[in-house]
Amino acid sequence: MTEPTAHPKTNRSSSPSLGDSAKVVDIENIEHAKASSSHDHPDHHHGQKPALQPPPWIAALSSEERHSLEKKLKRKIDLRLMPAIIFMYILNYIDRNNIAAAKLANLERDLNLSSVEYQTSVSILFVGYLLMQIPSNLFLNKLGKPAIYLPCCMIIWGTISAATSACTSAAGLYAVRFFLGFVEAAYFPGCLYYLSCWYTRSELGLRTAILYSGALISGAFSGLISAGVVSGLDGARGYGAWQWLFIIEGAATIVIAFACFFVLPNFPRTTSWLTEEERTLAVWRLEEDVGVDDWVGRKEQTFWQGAKMAFVDFRTYILMVLLFCIVASGTVTNFFPTVVNTLGYSRIHSLLLTAPPYVLAVIVTFANAWHADKTGERYFHIAIPMCVAIVAYIIAAATTHVAPRYLSMMLMVPSVYSGFVVALAWISNTMPRPPAKRAAALAFINAVSNCSSIYASYLYPNSAAPHYTVAMVVNCVTAFIAVCAATVMRIILSRQNKKLARGEWVEGAINVEGFRFKL
């Protein structure tokens, strides 16, 4: 069987017959057409293109046979891809945020850091993190070898994380944290793009939740690991507990990275352990989902065309506001051990108490994403969790009593994360093709959304404990703005779906029969 191929210079005015063994997809023209103004596009006057047709052997399958083959293919992909990227993300998140646990392990005392210097060391990571996200995603799209690129980045950031243990001053800590963020930037937006190259829009929500469960699991286990290191290794071989924390977690990152070289797939067309039929089916599933082919080869991927298309699409900026405000409202998780410590327990007990909110967050996030994929709905699966987050922040700012305050902590983590995961899937759902545009949009939105982490560290000084009133008010306001942005996005996409239903051209949409945006 021959898998669908792209013929860049071929135009097609009608749907190919079922006997055509190859898809005729004009990737070059698609990219330029989307970037051009509406009056320049030839199809603006002729309506939508007809839907593409499957390869003959797929068209000949019964619905039961097709379902069985897809189920087998997805299981094969899931087993190779999902466990690896979860382990990678657990360590990515631990290496990024273990400085919060290191603070309780006397990092400030040993390096003689002031409160402001510690806050700067937290925020400076995100400067490097922001700078590298868009270039990294565009390079990954061009390279087409995520199975090599992502583990290589992981080895480098694991080495940098372990080197944090050698810091002796604020300046050294600043340098290490900056470069850690610079290299770690490749992973999360890269993984979001990676998933969108393997799964259809209706499958992305749950897979994004599975990926993000790595962050939630790391939040739970990081506290447990930190508690064990602080109680058992403080002073061992002349190193402080915070130094052992960085050494152990950095070394674990390097070991897992080497293992991932042998496990991760590349893209559907370039994965050797799939059969030819499986590769053809994997490619067709993505093409069928939106009516346009996905990643074809290096020659079809352009750095700046994809970035330009993302930047001129106004929906990028609405989604940017949405994600920025969700992340801004969830910056409390960067300082969660410090916030939990205000309950008045010992540092060991405080570290242990950080685990339950993250365990609950895993359950809630999975349930919310699964239901969002099952129903195909996005808006309410974002707006309702953010409303719960608003209530949680109000409780946290209003009382110092242990029970209601810990209840607020149990609510704020699951609500923010469950809404965030569905919002991430909404980006790929709204800008599915071409892949260069999707890669640029994911990286740009994720980069801007993390800008809040630069200023957030200054909202949690030691002097603001235990209420952290300013921080909680900011979290409330940004959560409310996130709900407003999601509402605007839903209204716009609903209007565009009505135009698509009437057969009208919609700028930035996949203008083929049957395509609709997910609301």
Side-chain angles (χ1 to χ4, degrees), residues 91 93-103 105-108 111 113 118 121-122 125 157-167 173 176-177 180 184 225-226 229 233 239-254:
L91 292 164
Y93 210 77
I94 284 178
D95 289 336
R96 190 191 320 167
N97 293 320
N98 54 10
I99 194 169
K103 179 182 180 182
N106 298 320
L107 171 71
E108 286 180 303
L111 297 188
L113 301 177
Y118 169 77
S121 71
V122 174
L125 175 141
W157 92 58
T159 303
I160 295 173
S161 180
T164 310
S165 62
C167 292
L173 186 60
V176 169
R177 293 283 295 173
L180 178 63
E184 280 205 351
I225 294 169
S226 301
V229 171
L233 288 176
Y239 294 108
W242 65 271
Q243 291 174 301
W244 279 113
L245 201 60
F246 288 115
I247 291 170
I248 292 171
E249 292 174 351
T253 297
I254 295 170

